[in-house]
Structures are given as structure tokens and as C-alpha cells.
Amino acid sequence: MGPYPNSCVVRTPEGTCFDLLSEEEKKLLDDNMVEVFYKKGEIICKQGSFASKIIFLAEGLVKVYLEGSPKNLVLTITPKNNLVGLPSIFEGNNTFLYSVSPYVDSWAKLIDINVFKQILRQNAKFASKIIDILNENTAQAYGRFFCLTRKQLHGRMSDILMCLSERIFKSLEYELPLSRNDLAELTGMSTESVIRLMKEFKDDGLIEVSGKKIRILDLQRMRKISEVG
Amino acid sequence: MGPYPNSCVVRTPEGTCFDLLSEEEKKLLDDNMVEVFYKKGEIICKQGSFASKIIFLAEGLVKVYLEGSPKNLVLTITPKNNLVGLPSIFEGNNTFLYSVSPYVDSWAKLIDINVFKQILRQNAKFASKIIDILNENTAQAYGRFFCLTRKQLHGRMSDILMCLSERIFKSLEYELPLSRNDLAELTGMSTESVIRLMKEFKDDGLIEVSGKKIRILDLQRMRKISEVG
DNA sequence: TAAAAATCTTGATGCAGATCAGTTTTTTAT
DNA sequence: ATAAAAAACTGATCTGCATCAAGATTTTTA
């Protein structure tokens, strides 16, 4: 299958990009920012709607997805301390490319897009850092692209389970805030297939499942499955 | 299928991003740039290899693709006057995320990546423009992502044929420099399926095919097919 | 605490599209 | 001009996975 380090769905926290701003710029940002609470399942931003804000996720866990009937396509999962919505800000486009919705109760800071753009145009170090973030994002999207178009069910399933373990919960055991249906839109398969595969993985001694709790038992074999596709 | 303006594979020319450089910066760029000729089928850059250059395609037509066995996955086709390789330059990564290879004889200008980064860090307007380009790129990748994972063969085929017509050749009739196998890695299907679909489209009066020449006869119905998936 | 709704689970069936195994046509090399 | 290699094409077969239909379990609501 080849070495694709990033078939993962999860964006890593970009840390300190705001440290590169001057005091003045920080104040400008603060003055043009509101903090909003979103409940699980609400819509933070809607694909196709007017993109007037950049979203900084202060707390929570969200999915970034393309709407499709009957099933959405999840582009990435973004944990707290990440920017969401950056790719929507290019010239000539003023609508969100995707929808964003929280898996769990979340806090978002909404930054006025024009203020953000203005700072980009005047602070090269900051802009340069944003380029880094965008590119890392893209690298991940490509890996995922490959995963969803080239791997089959087993590979996709083990990719997701490992990714959630490594990138989000930082533990081999975690309590999933996602439904089987959420996993289905994440892996691009039917809900029934998710269920069947989880059972198969469990029967094969790869994972342990009890309710929402998942524990990875045999990481080595999971990696193998991911590689083979 | 929903309104996805960009299931297209082709990057549009970004025009004038270098106009935003000072004379000094232009000279710096010129001094750290070489122009190279590539024959059809050669490799301009190889996925996984050390990324020391940003590529500006001065003349020709290239594919940007992820390597996979048995079949590659084409991310985008890039015509002349475009930058290629931008997403590879993020901090912490120093290898090409993908391979690039020309469909036809091409000229590329190779820009030293450190010089490019240096200019990014000192010229905010330029960096801001690059962000625009990256984002447009991403928007396209997402559209394509959706196309390849959600649409089935007929939709994917008509997407490609229309895209080539509108974005590359700017005419309803064009001479394809791609083989059926190239079309297959572009649409994520088998070569045999490409052939069968082309025949079906031809028999249905959607297109006219003679050798390498393709002519779109019924754009309306092609659009319909693309929408339905 | 019961009823309703949502989620999870299982087996049976169907089909889109890959794979295979050829033949024919076109291109390239000598 | 002719042989060899690559690309284009065709039909038959096979299979991974979705879809459907029904039931069990959990969660939510009243």
C-alpha cells in the first residue's frame, strides 16, 4: 500500500500562531472576536453560507464535512486549540466550503474574516505560519484521500481506530463520543459495515469493545491491516 | 448530488503572484532558479524524496499524483503558468507529498525552497497571495474528494470530460494527450471501465470520439449526469 | 416508569464495477 | 517495410460492499 504517514483524519493543534502577532494586532483580533457555545449536533457553520468568520475552537471536538445525501463526507476531525475554516478565505470565494458541527459540547471563538485577512496582509511571519498550517492540513487531506479511494473496509477501519487513539485520546483505550453512524461517515462505509468490522476486529482479538469504550489490543496487527489496505 | 462547483481536477493559472515582489526579491528569485526541460513520462519530482525546490511550470501539462500500486491517484492536473509543490513546504516536513510527471513535453522553473520561504517570511502581500492560491487548491481538492468517493462511474467520467473541455482546452472539441489508462487513474476506475463508458457516452450521443479527438455534443445532459452522480 | 425514539445488530439479497483472459488496433523500433 | 511492443477494446466472471428488512438494545422524553 505504500508509506502514507497521514491517512489520519485528525488535525493536530497548531499551538502558537497567535504569538507572532504584535500587541496591537492581538487587540484588534480581540476586539473583533466573539466567543460562542455550541451544543453537540448543532451547526457551527454551514457549507455554502456566507463565510464572515474564522473559527478558533477553544474547547471541544468538531467534524468538518461536506454535505451529501444520503451521507456526509467527513474531511477532518478537529480537536480544541485549532483553527477551522481557513481554506474558505481565498479571494473570489466568500462561502464556506464545508459544514462544521461539534461531536460534543464546544466553545468557539469567531474572528471577523476581514480583520483576519488584514492581519495576514501586514504580518508576513504570521502569514507564513498560516501557510504552514494550511499545508499540513493539505498533507493530511491527501493521505485521507488516498485512504478513502484506495483502501478497502478493513484498512479504513483500522486507520480510524488507530488515528483516534494516537491523535485525539493519546491512549490505547478511549471512550468514543461518536456513534456507529458517525464512524460510517468518517470511513466512507455503511453503518452496517462499521458494525460488522468492529465485531470482526473484536473476535480476532485486535480490539476490545464494551459499549462506547474501545481498547486497542494488537497495534502491530492493526498497522499491518492498515498497510495492506 | 448537491452543488459542488469544483469536482474538477484542473488548477487554474494563478497569474501574477510574482508581481507582488520587489525588484530585489525578483532578482533573488532569479538567481536561485534553474529552468529544466522534461520529456513526457519523466518524473519532475518524486513522492517521498527531499523537497528542495518549488516548481513553476512555464510550459506544458503535468499530473500531480500519489503513488499507489497497482494504480496511482491523480490529485490534480496542472497546466502552464502554475506553481506546483507548494503544499510540500510546511515546517517539519521536507519531502514531497506527491509525485509530478508531465503528460507532454514541459518546461519547469525550479526555485530554491529556502529562498522561497525567506521571501514568504518577509513579504506579507506575497504570502497572502500564496494563501489564496493554496486555498483555491484545497477547495478543488475537496470537490474532487467528494467526486471520487461519492459519485459513481458515470458521474466521474462526465466530470472529467467536461473539466478538460472547460479548464484546459477551452473548447468543446479537443485532442487528448492522455491515454485511457491516464483517464483511469484520473477518475479512479479501471481502464476497462473508462473504455466501456466512453463507448456508452458515444453511443448515447453525448460525445463524439475519433482517435485522440473528443468532442462534447450534449453538454446539458453531461451536466445532468455529473449532478446525479 | 412507561412509551417512544434512536441507535445498534444480524442475516439475506443484489449489483456496480473490478478482474481476468483474450483479440484487435495503433504506435514504436529496426 | 516489417516486426515487436504498447495501447485499445470486448465479453465472461467474480466479489466487496451497499442495501434491505427485521429485530434487539439503549437512550430520551413525557
Side-chain angles (χ1 to χ4, degrees):
Chain A
M1 212 76 229
Y4 287 96
N6 263 317
S7 34
C8 185
V9 286
V10 181
R11 308 251 293 106
T12 35
E14 37 248 12
T16 57
C17 70
F18 294 114
D19 292 355
L20 297 164
L21 299 182
S22 69
E23 288 308 313
E24 221 171 318
E25 288 164 341
K26 279 181 190 164
K27 178 158 192 324
L28 184 61
L29 217 55
D30 270 347
D31 291 347
N32 289 280
M33 181 165 81
V34 291
E35 199 156 351
V36 182
F37 176 76
Y38 291 95
K39 278 211 291 269
K40 171 188 175 177
E42 290 180 349
I43 301 272
I44 297 180
C45 71
K46 177 79 178 174
Q47 181 179 342
S49 72
F50 183 60
S52 56
K53 306 288 178 190
I54 295 282
I55 301 151
F56 179 80
L57 187 69
E59 194 60 54
L61 182 68
V62 302
K63 62 173 169 179
V64 176
Y65 62 100
L66 298 178
E67 312 228 347
S69 51
K71 240 186 185 63
N72 299 326
L73 173 67
V74 176
L75 297 168
T76 78
I77 295 181
T78 306
K80 67 175 177 177
N81 292 325
N82 274 281
L83 285 164
V84 189
L86 281 178
S88 294
I89 59 171
F90 67 87
E91 218 51 56
N93 176 69
N94 52 4
T95 57
F96 283 112
L97 300 173
Y98 40 63
S99 296
V100 178
S101 172
Y103 284 125
V104 299
D105 296 355
S106 300
W107 281 96
K109 296 182 179 179
L110 308 180
I111 304 165
D112 184 276
I113 203 165
N114 289 316
V115 169
F116 193 88
K117 278 188 185 176
Q118 181 192 326
I119 294 176
L120 276 184
R121 275 192 297 265
Q122 74 187 36
N123 185 333
K125 295 245 167 35
F126 180 67
S128 192
K129 178 71 183 172
I130 294 294
I131 288 176
D132 269 3
I133 293 170
L134 286 170
N135 283 337
E136 197 166 346
N137 203 351
T138 300
Q140 203 180 280
Y142 286 165
R144 194 157 158 65
F145 204 164
F146 186 88
C147 173
L148 287 196
T149 56
R150 284 290 182 278
K151 293 187 183 184
Q152 44 193 57
L153 299 198
H154 292 259
R156 306 215 295 266
M157 194 75 223
S158 76
D159 272 351
I160 285 289
L161 294 176
M162 285 192 300
C163 171
L164 289 168
S165 157
E166 286 163 17
R167 303 288 209 103
I168 300 243
F169 302 104
K170 323 255 185 206
S171 160
L172 286 175
E173 187 171 3
Y174 51 90
E175 187 126 353
L176 248 201
L178 316 195
S179 69
R180 307 297 165 170
N181 187 52
D182 286 330
L183 285 175
E185 48 175 43
L186 213 49
T187 48
M189 60 180 85
S190 69
T191 309
E192 291 92 329
S193 289
V194 169
I195 290 163
R196 273 183 265 266
L197 281 172
M198 293 282 278
K199 197 191 169 208
E200 197 182 323
F201 279 20
K202 190 179 147 194
D203 290 348
D204 287 356
L206 286 163
I207 58 172
E208 197 178 290
V209 186
S210 57
K212 291 275 165 203
K213 211 163 241 155
I214 288 178
R215 183 183 200 168
I216 295 177
L217 299 174
D218 194 336
L219 198 57
Q220 202 111 35
R221 259 164 71 220
M222 292 281 278
R223 288 233 176 80
K224 197 85 194 170
I225 291 171
S226 161
E227 271 167 38
V228 177
Chain B
M1 212 73 231
Y4 289 95
N6 263 319
S7 34
C8 186
V9 286
V10 182
R11 309 250 291 104
T12 36
E14 37 249 13
T16 55
C17 71
F18 294 114
D19 293 356
L20 297 165
L21 300 182
S22 69
E23 288 309 313
E24 222 170 318
E25 288 165 341
K26 278 181 191 164
K27 179 159 190 328
L28 184 62
L29 217 55
D30 270 346
D31 290 347
N32 289 281
M33 181 165 80
V34 291
E35 199 155 352
V36 182
F37 176 76
Y38 292 94
K39 279 213 290 267
K40 171 187 175 178
E42 289 180 350
I43 301 271
I44 298 180
C45 71
K46 177 79 178 174
Q47 181 180 343
S49 73
F50 183 60
S52 55
K53 306 289 178 189
I54 295 282
I55 301 152
F56 179 79
L57 186 69
E59 194 60 54
L61 183 68
V62 303
K63 62 174 168 178
V64 176
Y65 63 101
L66 298 179
E67 311 229 347
S69 52
K71 242 188 182 61
N72 299 326
L73 172 67
V74 176
L75 296 168
T76 77
I77 295 181
T78 305
K80 66 175 176 177
N81 291 324
N82 274 281
L83 285 164
V84 188
L86 281 180
S88 294
I89 58 171
F90 66 88
E91 217 52 56
N93 176 69
N94 51 4
T95 57
F96 282 112
L97 300 172
Y98 39 64
S99 296
V100 178
S101 172
Y103 284 124
V104 300
D105 295 354
S106 299
W107 281 97
K109 296 181 179 179
L110 307 180
I111 305 165
D112 185 275
I113 203 165
N114 289 316
V115 169
F116 193 87
K117 277 187 184 177
Q118 181 191 325
I119 294 176
L120 276 184
R121 276 192 295 266
Q122 71 187 38
N123 185 332
K125 295 247 166 33
F126 181 66
S128 192
K129 178 71 183 173
I130 295 294
I131 288 176
D132 270 2
I133 293 170
L134 285 171
N135 283 337
E136 197 166 345
N137 204 352
T138 299
Q140 203 180 281
Y142 286 165
R144 192 157 159 65
F145 204 165
F146 186 89
C147 174
L148 287 197
T149 55
R150 285 291 183 276
K151 293 188 184 184
Q152 42 193 57
L153 299 196
H154 292 259
R156 308 216 293 267
M157 193 75 224
S158 76
D159 271 352
I160 285 290
L161 294 176
M162 285 191 300
C163 172
L164 290 167
S165 156
E166 286 163 16
R167 303 286 210 103
I168 300 241
F169 303 104
K170 324 256 185 203
S171 158
L172 285 175
E173 189 171 3
Y174 51 89
E175 188 126 352
L176 248 200
L178 316 196
S179 69
R180 305 299 187 208
N181 187 51
D182 286 331
L183 285 176
E185 45 175 48
L186 213 49
T187 48
M189 60 180 86
S190 70
T191 309
E192 292 93 326
S193 289
V194 169
I195 291 163
R196 273 183 265 266
L197 280 172
M198 295 282 278
K199 199 194 166 204
E200 197 182 322
F201 278 21
K202 190 178 147 193
D203 290 348
D204 287 356
L206 286 163
I207 59 173
E208 198 179 288
V209 186
S210 55
K212 290 277 168 203
K213 212 164 240 154
I214 287 178
R215 183 184 200 167
I216 294 178
L217 298 173
D218 195 335
L219 198 56
Q220 201 111 36
R221 259 165 70 220
M222 291 281 277
R223 290 233 175 79
K224 198 82 195 174
I225 290 170
S226 161
E227 271 167 39
V228 177

